[in-house]
Amino acid sequence: MRWKAKIEVTLKKEVLDPQGAAVEGALQVLNYRNVRQVRVGKYMELLLEAPAREEAARQVEEMCRRLLTNPVIEDFSYTLLGETP
Amino acid sequence: MKCGVIVFPGSNCDLDAYYLVRDVLREPVSYIWHEERSVDGYDALILPGGFSYGDYLRSGAIARFAPVMGAVEQFARAGGLVLGICNGFQVLTEAGLLPGALYRNAHLQFRCRQTYIRVENNGLPFTRAARAGQVLRVPIAHGDGNYFAGTALLEELRARRQVVFRYVDETGERCAAANPNGSLDDIAGVCNAAGNVLGMMPHPERAGEALLGSEDGLVIFRSMLDYFKALGGVRR
């Protein structure tokens, strides 16, 4: 079975986000004075073959820990969608 | 002391490191292509600066899985001297051979300029020829040099004296203006717990001759050589 994983990577709360701060500054300049705490992250998606959801989830989590994120500074979350061929 | 300079696709300070070892330090040196699977016969390894694998995903994230890195890890675990400079530092943190992480400079700009760094621990194979608190003038050139470690890790690094260099001003004092990238605790370089792996964002190999504006970086390579000779100069 084929699965689509949608993965979001964010900087950990305690890590300052210079990109987010720059974007927040730009939004303020555009007069969105009500905006706070802008954080910039990454979005990734991939397709994988796996017989069951559990196996797909196990692999996605492993990929996130080993390569897709740096656990020292980043957190991740993901969703898995079963694809009908 | 036979040095190996690891070359990844996208390394661009490999020649600088090679030149420093061969022509300034006058020690044998070879390049080691990232597809090699052995580092046998080397006494010290240098992971040079650059943009390995284009720095895609995160700086060093893909290079750390290069075929040669298994051998580098074994070499490091066996006590061999490994020096990571700039991108090499990033690769070593991604590989888990050094603590912490390096990410986007706090001001978001690439910085290419001279810095001053203070030797915080001169008891290491990389710093034994330096004076305690010695201030070195060494240039940086990076966009992702902002060092981060969680609170508990930072405490551990301080307690174990793994913070090897801090950014300071010309007089050796810490101040916000002297920190070029927002690094936590003004950290410019750290070592592993055993002290045989060092990573630093500044480029000591670009500060090896007066003609280049500073010879201060040499003390790191001279320390390594001194350590190697003190061991009896036996090739690993």
Side-chain angles (χ1 to χ4, degrees):
Chain A
M1 168 137 190
R2 194 162 78 164
W3 304 85
K4 176 180 263 187
K6 299 182 170 190
I7 303 162
E8 283 180 5
V9 181
T10 52
L11 281 172
K12 283 180 186 291
K13 272 202 315 287
E14 63 269 31
V15 178
L16 295 174
D17 178 5
Q19 289 190 85
V23 173
E24 185 170 320
L27 287 170
Q28 301 281 337
V29 168
L30 293 176
N31 240 350
Y32 295 103
R33 301 286 165 86
N34 52 339
V35 171
R36 295 285 180 276
Q37 296 181 23
V38 177
R39 308 282 286 174
V40 175
K42 293 176 192 166
Y43 170 78
M44 304 175 204
E45 58 178 44
L46 54 88
L47 293 175
L48 77 162
E49 288 289 340
R53 173 176 291 273
E54 291 69 29
E55 174 60 13
R58 190 192 65 74
Q59 284 196 32
V60 168
E61 287 174 32
E62 187 181 279
M63 289 176 216
C64 284
R65 281 194 305 273
R66 293 185 68 199
L67 174 65
L68 302 181
T69 76
N70 180 335
V72 177
I73 49 172
E74 292 170 329
D75 290 323
F76 67 88
S77 61
Y78 66 94
T79 54
L80 268 181
L81 302 173
E83 295 237 318
T84 36
Chain B
M1 179 175 73
K2 182 164 185 200
C3 285
V5 176
I6 311 278
V7 183
F8 299 103
S11 293
N12 64 12
C13 302
D14 41 343
L15 182 55
D16 307 50
Y18 184 94
Y19 169 83
L20 185 125
V21 176
R22 191 190 65 181
D23 295 286
V24 184
L25 207 61
R26 299 192 179 278
E27 291 292 321
V29 58
S30 299
Y31 292 118
I32 303 173
W33 184 234
H34 69 116
E35 287 176 344
E36 297 288 326
R37 290 178 186 274
S38 163
V39 294
D40 291 350
Y42 290 95
D43 302 308
L45 300 177
I46 300 174
L47 279 70
F51 299 87
S52 54
Y53 295 86
D55 274 355
Y56 296 130
L57 192 60
R58 295 177 309 279
S59 300
I62 298 177
R64 66 86 96 219
F65 290 107
V68 76
M69 286 304 293
V72 172
E73 190 169 335
Q74 278 184 356
F75 184 84
R77 303 256 184 246
L81 294 185
V82 180
L83 170 61
I85 301 168
C86 198
N87 191 227
F89 184 11
Q90 295 160 342
V91 174
L92 291 172
T93 57
E94 284 283 344
L97 290 172
L98 286 173
L102 295 145
Y103 75 115
R104 189 65 57 88
N105 288 352
H107 44 61
L108 296 170
Q109 293 162 2
F110 190 95
R111 278 289 150 85
C112 182
R113 68 159 168 94
Q114 289 287 351
T115 60
Y116 294 90
I117 56 174
R118 192 174 66 197
V119 178
E120 305 288 54
N121 179 349
N122 71 334
L124 297 166
F126 304 95
T127 53
R128 56 193 273 148
R131 299 186 308 277
Q134 186 173 344
V135 176
L136 312 176
R137 185 171 192 255
V138 184
I140 56 158
H142 62 246
D144 292 336
N146 189 350
Y147 185 81
F148 179 83
T151 313
L153 177 59
L154 180 62
E155 282 308 313
E156 201 176 295
L157 295 180
R158 285 171 174 159
R160 292 185 181 170
R161 304 197 62 205
Q162 285 176 250
V163 178
V164 184
F165 302 110
R166 281 198 174 89
Y167 297 108
V168 291
D169 66 14
E170 202 170 345
T171 67
E173 294 302 315
R174 289 172 63 183
C175 64
N179 181 334
N181 51 31
S183 282
L184 187 70
D185 213 27
D186 300 329
I187 290 173
V190 296
C191 66
N192 63 342
N196 65 305
V197 180
L198 169 69
M200 59 191 298
M201 288 311 295
H203 287 269
E205 83 286 12
R206 295 188 191 174
E209 291 177 292
L211 187 64
L212 298 178
S214 172
E215 296 181 300
D216 292 355
L218 259 186
V219 75
I220 292 163
F221 299 95
R222 291 212 196 288
S223 295
M224 292 167 71
L225 188 56
D226 183 55
Y227 173 81
F228 176 69
K229 285 183 173 163
L231 283 183
V234 183
R235 179 160 297 169
R236 297 173 32 76

